[in-house]
Amino acid sequence: MARRAVEQELSRERILEAARHLFITKGYRAISMRSIGQHLGYSHGSLYYHFKEKAELFYAIVVEDFNHVAALLSQVMNKPPEEGMTRVEQLIMEFIRFGLDHPYQYEIMFMIRDEELLAYCRAEQGRCFDLFSSIVRRHMKEEGYVSEDWQNVPLTLFLSAHGFISYYIQDKVSFEDVKEAASAHIKVLCRSL
């Protein structure tokens, strides 16, 4: 009976939040299911009720973060862009905002170098890029751009936004700190469209 009460009290969301924090601050390899349990004040056995292993827990975090980005990108397309911006410019701006306002998540999602962990991220990275590309292509089609550019432009824009985030993420600056630079970067990028 006490075990059931503990399992109900220790929610999947609490575990994900604690594990994300620990993976970010200490690194994936330095963290065990036992250390996550200790951080939460529970035995590591109670974590296994929700996740079979640490890799499954990590993947759940990655999926949750990519779903959050997908929701943000979709929201951009469902509302009018800020004054003086196109939808594509707003899309890139929101992607940059996410990266700089959530640097640790972004690093796990897009900058991880560990081969084992990269395997968990690749499919989600591809899904994120596909969504980004479909939004850009839809905009280009609506605006009458030449169809041969539809394949290359989304990747160029995505990689350029990633490069911008990667450059500034090292300095631990917020999006607001570099918003003007982001806006100028995006305007230069999209001028070629």
Side-chain angles (χ1 to χ4, degrees), residues 92-135:
I92 298 167
M93 186 70 85
E94 287 305 314
F95 187 73
I96 290 172
R97 181 188 317 264
F98 173 83
L100 294 177
D101 284 348
H102 303 89
Y104 300 117
Q105 283 95 324
Y106 190 86
E107 287 176 359
I108 286 174
M109 294 164 70
F110 290 103
M111 300 171 78
I112 200 130
R113 291 195 171 120
D114 186 296
E115 287 300 318
E116 177 188 350
L117 302 181
L118 190 56
Y120 290 108
C121 294
R122 279 296 184 209
E124 297 303 316
Q125 288 171 350
R127 190 171 64 93
C128 182
F129 175 68
D130 289 345
L131 175 61
F132 183 93
S133 295
S134 71
I135 294 169

Side-chain angles (χ1 to χ4, degrees), residues 67-81 87 90-91 94 131 135:
N67 286 341
H68 179 72
V69 170
L72 288 174
L73 298 182
S74 295
Q75 285 173 4
V76 167
M77 297 318 293
N78 294 326
K79 66 180 184 181
R87 284 197 192 282
Q90 187 69 41
L91 177 75
E94 287 305 314
L131 175 61
I135 294 169

Side-chain angles (χ1 to χ4, degrees):
M1 184 100 157
R3 182 179 199 163
R4 180 172 274 160
V6 166
E7 290 170 352
Q8 289 172 350
E9 192 175 306
L10 184 59
S11 69
R12 179 180 172 88
E13 290 74 30
R14 281 189 61 208
I15 296 169
L16 289 171
E17 184 180 321
R20 180 183 290 113
H21 170 76
L22 291 170
F23 289 151
I24 288 166
T25 57
K26 304 207 184 287
Y28 178 81
R29 299 230 180 260
I31 298 303
S32 65
M33 292 295 268
R34 184 177 304 278
S35 62
I36 295 167
Q38 287 173 343
H39 180 79
L40 288 165
Y42 291 88
S43 74
H44 67 283
S46 59
L47 302 179
Y48 290 110
Y49 176 78
H50 298 279
F51 301 98
K52 287 184 241 168
E53 60 186 5
K54 181 173 76 166
E56 181 184 348
L57 174 56
F58 178 82
Y59 184 66
I61 290 168
V62 168
V63 168
E64 187 175 87
D65 289 342
F66 275 104
N67 286 341
H68 179 72
V69 170
L72 288 174
L73 298 182
S74 295
Q75 285 173 4
V76 167
M77 297 318 293
N78 294 326
K79 66 180 184 181
E82 291 180 17
E83 189 175 326
M85 296 188 85
T86 66
R87 284 197 192 282
V88 169
E89 290 170 341
Q90 187 69 41
L91 177 75
I92 298 167
M93 186 70 85
E94 287 305 314
F95 187 73
I96 290 172
R97 181 188 317 264
F98 173 83
L100 294 177
D101 284 348
H102 303 89
Y104 300 117
Q105 283 95 324
Y106 190 86
E107 287 176 359
I108 286 174
M109 294 164 70
F110 290 103
M111 300 171 78
I112 200 130
R113 291 195 171 120
D114 186 296
E115 287 300 318
E116 177 188 350
L117 302 181
L118 190 56
Y120 290 108
C121 294
R122 279 296 184 209
E124 297 303 316
Q125 288 171 350
R127 190 171 64 93
C128 182
F129 175 68
D130 289 345
L131 175 61
F132 183 93
S133 295
S134 71
I135 294 169
V136 171
R137 285 188 192 109
R138 184 171 60 206
H139 171 76
M140 293 178 76
K141 186 176 182 180
E142 289 169 1
E143 297 296 316
Y145 289 97
V146 182
S147 61
E148 60 233 21
D149 290 337
W150 295 357
Q151 295 304 322
N152 299 323
V153 169
L155 181 60
T156 299
L157 296 176
F158 188 85
L159 292 177
S160 184
H162 174 67
F164 185 92
I165 295 166
S166 299
Y167 179 79
Y168 283 104
I169 210 169
Q170 299 173 58
D171 297 329
K172 307 283 188 238
V173 297
S174 72
F175 172 75
E176 288 302 318
D177 294 334
V178 295
K179 185 176 182 177
E180 286 183 34
S183 182
H185 176 73
I186 292 165
K187 289 291 183 189
V188 169
L189 266 179
C190 292
R191 205 177 290 153
S192 63
L193 287 177

